Amino acid sequence: MTGQIYLGTVAIEPNRWGLAEPGGHPLTRVSEWLANIAEAGFDGLELWERHARSVPDEELDALLASEIPIRILSCYTSWDEPDDADRAETATWIERVGAQGVKFNVGSDPDSIADYTERLRRFEAEVPESARLLCECHFGTVAEDPKVARDMFDSVADADRLGAIVHVHPMARDEWSEPLGVLGDRVRHVHVQVAEVPQSTSAAELSEVLRPAAEAISTASPEATWTIEFSHGMWGFGRDDAEFDNPAYILQSAQRDLVALRAAL
């Protein structure tokens, strides 16, 4: 799977954060866009969990029957909740959609690191052996500190089982460098966030911007895979209105981003 590039379906979901309608339920049926995603050349999907768990049965069936594989299930289950029930339910969905990885975020309370670590240990025991756990080292969580993340992960599983996700963001070009320096080969997945790069920027120009991160991460962690997570047109990222926050426009942007990232890699 080395060097593969996925589309994060959260990018084509206008209600990704409940901004379009209250409740955060999905407005996009990913199955309607699978042909476009395949034509663009993506290697698979990083599927937002609500695109699987909060859709009609026929939509889920269409996703599971697709030639575009679901490579990663992107989940947002709480790590501040002591009860393991929802995290265990997420683990069952990993197997149900046939994902080879699960993206998750730990909590933000520094006083709860030991609790998060223990919950991670129990979660790891629930996740199918065929899937890799991928912790997003997201700002605002305790995993933002790569040393904290390293210590948590080292106490639970090796890098082949439990990896880290870092971010490549052209507006903050070294956002990935510190965690890569600490976590090294444990960085197994990358979220590429280029929503603020206008479509007037060519793929060749964007490729040059992405190249330093792509080369450094690929060298330190040859097993890393990549997801185009944010692309131009997303409301609040480079645009002040929601007019362009629709699957057709976002996929047009994401195709440019895919070409650029492939060239950078």
Side-chain angles (χ1 to χ4, degrees):
M1 312 312 295
T2 304
Q4 291 209 334
I5 304 174
Y6 312 138
L7 176 74
T9 66
V10 71
I12 60 172
E13 177 51 62
N15 208 30
R16 61 187 70 83
W17 296 302
L19 296 176
E21 292 184 7
H25 58 280
L27 302 178
T28 297
R29 294 288 178 261
V30 175
S31 65
E32 298 175 1
W33 298 96
L34 290 172
N36 302 70
I37 295 168
E39 185 177 353
F42 285 95
D43 297 308
L45 302 177
E46 180 173 328
L47 188 72
W48 184 43
E49 63 176 339
R50 290 195 176 186
H51 281 147
R53 297 178 65 172
S54 303
V55 299
D57 289 343
E58 59 267 24
E59 168 67 6
L60 180 59
D61 290 344
L63 291 175
L64 297 182
S66 169
E67 294 182 1
I68 299 293
I70 299 168
R71 294 303 190 192
I72 297 173
L73 182 67
S74 177
C75 76
Y76 288 87
T77 185
S78 171
W79 286 77
D80 289 301
E81 171 57 58
D83 192 322
D84 289 335
D86 192 48
R87 292 184 291 273
E89 179 68 12
T90 291
T92 68
W93 275 93
I94 301 166
E95 186 167 22
R96 185 170 181 182
V97 303
Q100 298 177 342
V102 56
K103 167 259 169 189
F104 64 96
N105 303 84
V106 294
S108 59
D109 183 2
D111 295 329
S112 297
I113 291 173
D115 292 331
Y116 298 151
T117 304
E118 188 55 39
R119 289 165 197 162
L120 177 57
R121 186 173 288 108
R122 297 197 296 270
F123 183 57
E124 186 276 329
E126 297 285 343
V127 171
E129 292 184 3
S130 58
R132 175 178 286 147
L133 290 81
L134 297 166
C135 179
E136 187 175 19
C137 296
H138 204 290
F139 68 89
T141 72
V142 297
E144 178 182 14
D145 183 335
K147 294 179 182 178
V148 170
R150 178 194 60 198
D151 292 346
M152 289 178 65
F153 303 161
D154 285 352
S155 70
V156 174
D158 64 24
D160 286 333
R161 175 62 169 166
L162 173 57
I165 299 175
V166 298
H167 304 89
V168 170
H169 188 310
M171 307 304 290
R173 296 189 186 185
D174 63 348
E175 184 176 352
W176 49 269
S177 60
E178 182 183 2
L180 182 66
V182 174
L183 295 167
D185 184 57
R186 201 178 276 275
V187 174
R188 294 303 177 98
H189 193 58
V190 186
H191 280 169
V192 180
Q193 302 175 339
V194 287
E196 293 169 302
V197 178
Q199 281 197 346
S200 59
T201 301
S202 70
E205 291 169 324
L206 179 57
S207 178
E208 289 306 308
V209 175
L210 296 175
R211 193 178 307 280
E215 291 181 347
I217 293 170
S218 297
T219 298
S221 184
E223 295 295 317
T225 53
W226 304 70
T227 285
I228 303 295
E229 186 184 30
F230 295 168
S231 286
H232 189 255
M234 293 173 63
W235 183 83
F237 292 88
R239 301 204 76 96
D240 295 329
D241 57 66
E243 177 185 358
F244 294 90
D245 198 344
N246 62 75
Y249 186 93
I250 298 295
L251 280 173
Q252 183 180 353
S253 297
Q255 185 170 14
R256 184 274 314 264
D257 304 339
L258 172 63
V259 172
L261 181 56
R262 284 212 192 280
L265 288 168

PDB file of all heavy atoms in Angstrom, residues 11 23 29 51 57-58 69 81 89 103 109 140 157 174 194-195 206 210 214 223 229 238 256:
ATOM      1  N   ALA A  11     -14.204  15.467   2.870  1.00  0.00           N
ATOM      2  CA  ALA A  11     -13.998  16.651   2.026  1.00  0.00           C
ATOM      3  C   ALA A  11     -15.231  16.968   1.196  1.00  0.00           C
ATOM      4  O   ALA A  11     -15.516  18.138   0.918  1.00  0.00           O
ATOM      5  CB  ALA A  11     -12.788  16.439   1.111  1.00  0.00           C
ATOM      6  N   GLY A  23     -27.019  18.642  13.708  1.00  0.00           N
ATOM      7  CA  GLY A  23     -27.004  17.207  13.927  1.00  0.00           C
ATOM      8  C   GLY A  23     -25.838  16.480  13.296  1.00  0.00           C
ATOM      9  O   GLY A  23     -25.485  15.377  13.717  1.00  0.00           O
ATOM     10  N   ARG A  29     -24.287  11.419  -0.558  1.00  0.00           N
ATOM     11  CA  ARG A  29     -24.249   9.979  -0.764  1.00  0.00           C
ATOM     12  C   ARG A  29     -22.982   9.682  -1.563  1.00  0.00           C
ATOM     13  O   ARG A  29     -22.911   9.950  -2.764  1.00  0.00           O
ATOM     14  CB  ARG A  29     -25.494   9.498  -1.508  1.00  0.00           C
ATOM     15  CG  ARG A  29     -26.776   9.659  -0.698  1.00  0.00           C
ATOM     16  CD  ARG A  29     -26.836   8.652   0.445  1.00  0.00           C
ATOM     17  NE  ARG A  29     -28.022   8.803   1.274  1.00  0.00           N
ATOM     18  CZ  ARG A  29     -28.041   9.442   2.449  1.00  0.00           C
ATOM     19  NH1 ARG A  29     -26.925   9.990   2.915  1.00  0.00           N
ATOM     20  NH2 ARG A  29     -29.138   9.529   3.151  1.00  0.00           N
ATOM     21  N   HIS A  51     -20.613   8.367   6.851  1.00  0.00           N
ATOM     22  CA  HIS A  51     -20.971   7.956   5.495  1.00  0.00           C
ATOM     23  C   HIS A  51     -21.241   6.460   5.424  1.00  0.00           C
ATOM     24  O   HIS A  51     -21.706   5.954   4.391  1.00  0.00           O
ATOM     25  CB  HIS A  51     -19.872   8.348   4.509  1.00  0.00           C
ATOM     26  CG  HIS A  51     -19.903   9.794   4.124  1.00  0.00           C
ATOM     27  ND1 HIS A  51     -18.765  10.517   3.833  1.00  0.00           N
ATOM     28  CD2 HIS A  51     -20.944  10.662   3.997  1.00  0.00           C
ATOM     29  CE1 HIS A  51     -19.107  11.768   3.537  1.00  0.00           C
ATOM     30  NE2 HIS A  51     -20.415  11.872   3.631  1.00  0.00           N
ATOM     31  N   ASP A  57     -29.485   1.478   4.221  1.00  0.00           N
ATOM     32  CA  ASP A  57     -28.822   0.211   3.914  1.00  0.00           C
ATOM     33  C   ASP A  57     -28.381   0.136   2.461  1.00  0.00           C
ATOM     34  O   ASP A  57     -27.305  -0.399   2.161  1.00  0.00           O
ATOM     35  CB  ASP A  57     -29.757  -0.960   4.227  1.00  0.00           C
ATOM     36  CG  ASP A  57     -29.968  -1.160   5.720  1.00  0.00           C
ATOM     37  OD1 ASP A  57     -29.169  -0.615   6.505  1.00  0.00           O
ATOM     38  OD2 ASP A  57     -30.921  -1.873   6.098  1.00  0.00           O
ATOM     39  N   GLU A  58     -29.187   0.671   1.555  1.00  0.00           N
ATOM     40  CA  GLU A  58     -28.828   0.578   0.139  1.00  0.00           C
ATOM     41  C   GLU A  58     -27.574   1.398  -0.188  1.00  0.00           C
ATOM     42  O   GLU A  58     -26.796   1.042  -1.082  1.00  0.00           O
ATOM     43  CB  GLU A  58     -29.989   1.001  -0.754  1.00  0.00           C
ATOM     44  CG  GLU A  58     -30.498   2.418  -0.551  1.00  0.00           C
ATOM     45  CD  GLU A  58     -31.655   2.498   0.444  1.00  0.00           C
ATOM     46  OE1 GLU A  58     -31.780   1.587   1.301  1.00  0.00           O
ATOM     47  OE2 GLU A  58     -32.432   3.471   0.347  1.00  0.00           O
ATOM     48  N   PRO A  69     -11.925   0.770  -3.152  1.00  0.00           N
ATOM     49  CA  PRO A  69     -11.921   0.153  -1.823  1.00  0.00           C
ATOM     50  C   PRO A  69     -11.955   1.182  -0.701  1.00  0.00           C
ATOM     51  O   PRO A  69     -11.437   2.299  -0.833  1.00  0.00           O
ATOM     52  CB  PRO A  69     -10.603  -0.618  -1.800  1.00  0.00           C
ATOM     53  CG  PRO A  69      -9.715   0.125  -2.754  1.00  0.00           C
ATOM     54  CD  PRO A  69     -10.619   0.637  -3.839  1.00  0.00           C
ATOM     55  N   GLU A  81     -14.863   9.371  27.143  1.00  0.00           N
ATOM     56  CA  GLU A  81     -15.912   8.510  27.677  1.00  0.00           C
ATOM     57  C   GLU A  81     -15.285   7.238  28.263  1.00  0.00           C
ATOM     58  O   GLU A  81     -14.633   6.472  27.539  1.00  0.00           O
ATOM     59  CB  GLU A  81     -16.900   8.152  26.564  1.00  0.00           C
ATOM     60  CG  GLU A  81     -17.906   7.093  26.924  1.00  0.00           C
ATOM     61  CD  GLU A  81     -18.729   7.451  28.139  1.00  0.00           C
ATOM     62  OE1 GLU A  81     -19.397   8.516  28.108  1.00  0.00           O
ATOM     63  OE2 GLU A  81     -18.689   6.683  29.131  1.00  0.00           O
ATOM     64  N   GLU A  89     -18.011  -0.536  19.237  1.00  0.00           N
ATOM     65  CA  GLU A  89     -18.890  -0.515  18.068  1.00  0.00           C
ATOM     66  C   GLU A  89     -18.122  -0.046  16.839  1.00  0.00           C
ATOM     67  O   GLU A  89     -18.302  -0.587  15.734  1.00  0.00           O
ATOM     68  CB  GLU A  89     -20.086   0.401  18.336  1.00  0.00           C
ATOM     69  CG  GLU A  89     -21.067   0.531  17.183  1.00  0.00           C
ATOM     70  CD  GLU A  89     -21.844  -0.738  16.894  1.00  0.00           C
ATOM     71  OE1 GLU A  89     -21.803  -1.673  17.719  1.00  0.00           O
ATOM     72  OE2 GLU A  89     -22.497  -0.809  15.836  1.00  0.00           O
ATOM     73  N   LYS A 103      -8.784   5.508  11.550  1.00  0.00           N
ATOM     74  CA  LYS A 103      -8.291   6.785  12.043  1.00  0.00           C
ATOM     75  C   LYS A 103      -9.103   7.176  13.268  1.00  0.00           C
ATOM     76  O   LYS A 103     -10.325   7.055  13.292  1.00  0.00           O
ATOM     77  CB  LYS A 103      -8.400   7.856  10.957  1.00  0.00           C
ATOM     78  CG  LYS A 103      -8.196   9.285  11.458  1.00  0.00           C
ATOM     79  CD  LYS A 103      -9.549   9.971  11.627  1.00  0.00           C
ATOM     80  CE  LYS A 103      -9.407  11.287  12.384  1.00  0.00           C
ATOM     81  NZ  LYS A 103     -10.718  11.853  12.750  1.00  0.00           N
ATOM     82  N   ASP A 109      -7.294  16.156  27.435  1.00  0.00           N
ATOM     83  CA  ASP A 109      -7.000  16.422  28.844  1.00  0.00           C
ATOM     84  C   ASP A 109      -5.644  15.835  29.231  1.00  0.00           C
ATOM     85  O   ASP A 109      -5.487  14.613  29.283  1.00  0.00           O
ATOM     86  CB  ASP A 109      -8.095  15.819  29.722  1.00  0.00           C
ATOM     87  CG  ASP A 109      -7.889  16.111  31.198  1.00  0.00           C
ATOM     88  OD1 ASP A 109      -6.916  16.826  31.548  1.00  0.00           O
ATOM     89  OD2 ASP A 109      -8.701  15.626  32.010  1.00  0.00           O
ATOM     90  N   GLY A 140      -4.748  20.289  19.727  1.00  0.00           N
ATOM     91  CA  GLY A 140      -5.848  20.276  20.676  1.00  0.00           C
ATOM     92  C   GLY A 140      -6.033  18.951  21.381  1.00  0.00           C
ATOM     93  O   GLY A 140      -6.848  18.849  22.303  1.00  0.00           O
ATOM     94  N   ALA A 157       1.543  -0.947  21.260  1.00  0.00           N
ATOM     95  CA  ALA A 157       1.800  -1.835  20.121  1.00  0.00           C
ATOM     96  C   ALA A 157       2.917  -1.271  19.255  1.00  0.00           C
ATOM     97  O   ALA A 157       3.278  -0.090  19.377  1.00  0.00           O
ATOM     98  CB  ALA A 157       0.531  -2.021  19.286  1.00  0.00           C
ATOM     99  N   ASP A 174       6.028  23.388   8.007  1.00  0.00           N
ATOM    100  CA  ASP A 174       6.802  22.496   8.868  1.00  0.00           C
ATOM    101  C   ASP A 174       5.939  21.839   9.947  1.00  0.00           C
ATOM    102  O   ASP A 174       6.451  21.300  10.914  1.00  0.00           O
ATOM    103  CB  ASP A 174       7.953  23.264   9.520  1.00  0.00           C
ATOM    104  CG  ASP A 174       7.465  24.388  10.430  1.00  0.00           C
ATOM    105  OD1 ASP A 174       6.261  24.718  10.386  1.00  0.00           O
ATOM    106  OD2 ASP A 174       8.288  24.930  11.184  1.00  0.00           O
ATOM    107  N   VAL A 194      -5.130  21.107   1.745  1.00  0.00           N
ATOM    108  CA  VAL A 194      -4.776  22.174   0.802  1.00  0.00           C
ATOM    109  C   VAL A 194      -5.994  23.022   0.445  1.00  0.00           C
ATOM    110  O   VAL A 194      -6.083  23.563  -0.659  1.00  0.00           O
ATOM    111  CB  VAL A 194      -4.104  21.592  -0.466  1.00  0.00           C
ATOM    112  CG1 VAL A 194      -2.701  21.126  -0.159  1.00  0.00           C
ATOM    113  CG2 VAL A 194      -4.908  20.437  -1.039  1.00  0.00           C
ATOM    114  N   ALA A 195      -6.916  23.160   1.370  1.00  0.00           N
ATOM    115  CA  ALA A 195      -8.150  23.899   1.095  1.00  0.00           C
ATOM    116  C   ALA A 195      -7.902  25.373   0.809  1.00  0.00           C
ATOM    117  O   ALA A 195      -8.701  26.017   0.121  1.00  0.00           O
ATOM    118  CB  ALA A 195      -9.123  23.760   2.271  1.00  0.00           C
ATOM    119  N   LEU A 206       1.768  23.476  -7.097  1.00  0.00           N
ATOM    120  CA  LEU A 206       1.446  22.874  -5.807  1.00  0.00           C
ATOM    121  C   LEU A 206       2.391  21.726  -5.487  1.00  0.00           C
ATOM    122  O   LEU A 206       2.788  21.540  -4.330  1.00  0.00           O
ATOM    123  CB  LEU A 206      -0.003  22.384  -5.808  1.00  0.00           C
ATOM    124  CG  LEU A 206      -0.492  21.691  -4.529  1.00  0.00           C
ATOM    125  CD1 LEU A 206      -0.334  22.593  -3.312  1.00  0.00           C
ATOM    126  CD2 LEU A 206      -1.953  21.253  -4.687  1.00  0.00           C
ATOM    127  N   LEU A 210       4.523  20.894  -2.023  1.00  0.00           N
ATOM    128  CA  LEU A 210       4.359  19.665  -1.259  1.00  0.00           C
ATOM    129  C   LEU A 210       5.616  18.802  -1.221  1.00  0.00           C
ATOM    130  O   LEU A 210       5.768  17.950  -0.335  1.00  0.00           O
ATOM    131  CB  LEU A 210       3.219  18.833  -1.852  1.00  0.00           C
ATOM    132  CG  LEU A 210       1.818  19.440  -1.800  1.00  0.00           C
ATOM    133  CD1 LEU A 210       0.834  18.542  -2.541  1.00  0.00           C
ATOM    134  CD2 LEU A 210       1.358  19.646  -0.357  1.00  0.00           C
ATOM    135  N   ALA A 214       6.710  15.612   1.247  1.00  0.00           N
ATOM    136  CA  ALA A 214       6.536  14.293   0.635  1.00  0.00           C
ATOM    137  C   ALA A 214       7.834  13.503   0.651  1.00  0.00           C
ATOM    138  O   ALA A 214       7.849  12.308   0.988  1.00  0.00           O
ATOM    139  CB  ALA A 214       6.026  14.454  -0.795  1.00  0.00           C
ATOM    140  N   GLU A 223       6.482   3.212   4.436  1.00  0.00           N
ATOM    141  CA  GLU A 223       5.179   2.553   4.435  1.00  0.00           C
ATOM    142  C   GLU A 223       4.009   3.534   4.439  1.00  0.00           C
ATOM    143  O   GLU A 223       2.844   3.128   4.369  1.00  0.00           O
ATOM    144  CB  GLU A 223       5.054   1.640   5.661  1.00  0.00           C
ATOM    145  CG  GLU A 223       6.023   0.485   5.677  1.00  0.00           C
ATOM    146  CD  GLU A 223       5.767  -0.492   4.540  1.00  0.00           C
ATOM    147  OE1 GLU A 223       4.587  -0.809   4.284  1.00  0.00           O
ATOM    148  OE2 GLU A 223       6.744  -0.916   3.899  1.00  0.00           O
ATOM    149  N   GLU A 229      -7.395  15.316   2.304  1.00  0.00           N
ATOM    150  CA  GLU A 229      -8.458  15.488   3.286  1.00  0.00           C
ATOM    151  C   GLU A 229      -9.241  16.783   3.080  1.00  0.00           C
ATOM    152  O   GLU A 229     -10.475  16.793   3.179  1.00  0.00           O
ATOM    153  CB  GLU A 229      -7.873  15.467   4.703  1.00  0.00           C
ATOM    154  CG  GLU A 229      -8.944  15.504   5.779  1.00  0.00           C
ATOM    155  CD  GLU A 229      -8.372  15.591   7.185  1.00  0.00           C
ATOM    156  OE1 GLU A 229      -7.283  16.173   7.371  1.00  0.00           O
ATOM    157  OE2 GLU A 229      -9.037  15.078   8.104  1.00  0.00           O
ATOM    158  N   GLY A 238     -10.437  29.251   2.729  1.00  0.00           N
ATOM    159  CA  GLY A 238     -10.125  29.907   1.466  1.00  0.00           C
ATOM    160  C   GLY A 238     -11.344  30.491   0.767  1.00  0.00           C
ATOM    161  O   GLY A 238     -11.210  31.194  -0.221  1.00  0.00           O
ATOM    162  N   ARG A 256      -6.822  17.986  -8.862  1.00  0.00           N
ATOM    163  CA  ARG A 256      -5.589  18.775  -8.993  1.00  0.00           C
ATOM    164  C   ARG A 256      -4.619  18.419  -7.881  1.00  0.00           C
ATOM    165  O   ARG A 256      -3.402  18.216  -8.101  1.00  0.00           O
ATOM    166  CB  ARG A 256      -5.938  20.270  -8.975  1.00  0.00           C
ATOM    167  CG  ARG A 256      -4.775  21.267  -9.200  1.00  0.00           C
ATOM    168  CD  ARG A 256      -3.999  21.632  -7.922  1.00  0.00           C
ATOM    169  NE  ARG A 256      -4.782  21.954  -6.764  1.00  0.00           N
ATOM    170  CZ  ARG A 256      -5.108  23.180  -6.370  1.00  0.00           C
ATOM    171  NH1 ARG A 256      -4.729  24.213  -7.075  1.00  0.00           N
ATOM    172  NH2 ARG A 256      -5.812  23.362  -5.241  1.00  0.00           N
TER     173      ARG A 256
END
